[in-house]
Amino acid sequence: MSLNERISKVIEYSRLTPSEFADEIDVQRSSISHITSGRNKPSLEFIIKIKSRFPEILWDWLVNGDGEMLKSELPETVKPIDETPEISEDEKLKPTSLPDLFTMMNDDEDFGAEETEMEPAKISPRESFIPHQSTAQQKITDSQRLDKSNEQIINQVIGNQQSKIKRIVLFYENGKFESFEP
């Protein structure tokens, strides 16, 4: 059985349409039809995606066509309870999967303990760091701020109302001007 035929058998096993299968293993839909028709051969990444989604499928069967398709189809040997199970050479060489973040978090009793004991990080100054000035010093050096009392503001407004216009002068672009005196 060719690799393309084995992939067709996996699609049949999944009970999905080829389009649904492509979506399930996150590949382009056209790649499924190209592989099952024999036009293209699947890449390693493609096979890994199948194996990730269907972990019950055996690598040896998927890649080489050796043995059974599913782990559950393997013949089980009856072992006595007292006998320790022997580990085959294949199992010794097989890499173990690393636990995911959430498994590690649940196993870690002290998770989060360091967070409360940590000192706050020191803020490193930026290139344009301006030293903080005291309020009194800021009032003196700040040229934008005008500290006038309410009485001074009221007197200025009343004074502007009492002033009368003496002359209005209009300047034109051609250099002429007009002067109006009310």
Side-chain angles (χ1 to χ4, degrees):
M1 180 183 295
S2 72
L3 180 58
N4 298 7
E5 292 171 330
R6 288 192 298 276
I7 290 175
S8 295
K9 191 163 181 168
V10 171
I11 294 170
E12 185 180 310
Y13 163 76
S14 71
R15 295 183 181 155
L16 299 171
T17 66
S19 297
E20 293 170 335
F21 185 80
D23 293 341
E24 189 71 24
I25 65 169
D26 195 28
V27 296
Q28 291 183 355
R29 293 177 177 183
S30 61
S31 65
I32 298 291
S33 69
H34 291 227
I35 289 170
T36 55
S37 69
R39 178 179 171 198
N40 294 348
K41 291 188 177 185
S43 66
L44 177 60
E45 182 182 359
F46 186 90
I47 294 171
I48 290 172
K49 287 183 177 186
I50 291 174
K51 182 65 175 142
S52 301
R53 174 56 187 89
F54 301 98
E56 65 273 15
I57 295 175
L58 293 171
W59 274 111
D60 288 341
W61 178 84
L62 185 59
V63 176
N64 301 321
D66 298 337
E68 301 296 324
M69 177 177 161
L70 301 174
K71 289 180 183 177
S72 61
E73 293 177 359
L74 290 175
E76 293 185 27
T77 57
V78 179
K79 296 179 186 173
I81 298 174
D82 296 340
E83 189 178 311
T84 58
E86 292 183 25
I87 299 173
S88 68
E89 289 298 317
D90 291 338
E91 290 176 347
K92 288 180 184 176
L93 298 176
K94 194 181 287 185
T96 58
S97 62
L98 296 174
D100 64 297
L101 175 65
F102 300 106
T103 305
M104 292 172 57
M105 187 172 70
N106 290 338
D107 293 342
D108 190 3
E109 295 173 6
D110 298 329
F111 181 75
E114 293 179 17
E115 294 175 12
T116 57
E117 297 171 5
M118 290 176 60
E119 294 179 20
K122 294 181 181 178
I123 300 172
S124 59
R126 293 176 273 178
E127 289 180 27
S128 61
F129 180 75
I130 300 171
H132 181 65
Q133 297 176 340
S134 68
T135 315
Q137 193 177 19
Q138 189 176 4
K139 285 182 181 179
I140 294 170
T141 60
D142 194 355
S143 63
Q144 297 295 321
R145 188 177 299 173
L146 298 175
D147 290 332
K148 292 185 177 181
S149 67
N150 287 340
E151 288 180 28
Q152 288 174 331
I153 294 172
I154 292 171
N155 289 337
Q156 184 179 359
V157 170
I158 293 172
N160 287 343
Q161 289 176 352
Q162 293 173 354
S163 300
K164 294 184 180 181
I165 298 174
K166 183 176 180 182
R167 184 186 328 176
I168 299 174
V169 179
L170 300 174
F171 294 95
Y172 297 102
E173 287 181 350
N174 62 6
K176 296 182 178 179
F177 67 94
E178 292 180 51
S179 177
F180 299 98
E181 292 182 21

